Structures are given as structure tokens and as C-alpha cells.
Amino acid sequence: MIYLGRFPQSKRKQSFWIAFWVLLYSSIELINLKYLDLINHYNGWNIWWSVLFNIAMFSILRIHYKKPL
């Protein structure tokens, strides 16, 4: 709700907003993976796949919020 509720209007700020949330989620996953050993990756999955997934997820979440099917 914070992500969508505070989503900026300008295109440049939107890019930074998405990058901030991708960095936040990826950092949390990296900490849980490397330092706290709370999660494991299998079948070739790694942190870079998670970063790509987060980019797609946060972009599509905004698109779906503005123009739902």
C-alpha cells in the first residue's frame, strides 16, 4: 500500500521509486539468503533472477493498478 499510495507523478521520480523498492526487496532477500540463512535458492535461481523478477513485479503492479483488466 505504501508503494502505490505514494507513487510519484513525474516519470523520472517514478523510475527512482521503482528502483528504490527493487533495491529494498532485493536487499532484504540478500540478507535473508547470505547472512541469516532463512531462505535457499534451488534449480538455478539466484539473486539476479530475483532482481529481475522484482523489476517486473513492481512495474506490472503499477500498470495493473492504473489500468486493471
Side-chain angles (χ1 to χ4, degrees):
M1 297 307 288
I2 295 171
Y3 171 73
L4 291 173
R6 295 182 164 263
F7 204 86
Q9 295 299 317
S10 72
K11 295 289 184 189
R12 183 172 183 185
K13 288 182 181 180
Q14 288 176 0
S15 299
F16 285 118
W17 190 247
I18 292 172
F20 167 75
W21 284 94
V22 167
L23 182 65
L24 179 67
Y25 267 61
S26 299
S27 298
I28 291 169
E29 182 174 345
L30 184 63
I31 290 167
N32 287 328
L33 178 68
K34 296 288 184 187
Y35 302 109
L36 301 178
D37 202 29
L38 295 175
I39 61 173
N40 294 311
H41 289 158
Y42 297 104
N43 298 322
W45 193 267
N46 58 44
I47 193 68
W48 298 112
W49 287 115
S50 294
V51 170
L52 289 174
F53 173 78
N54 289 334
I55 292 169
M57 177 183 65
F58 284 112
S59 300
I60 292 171
L61 183 62
R62 175 63 179 176
I63 292 169
H64 179 69
Y65 176 73
K66 291 299 281 185
K67 296 184 181 187
L69 292 175

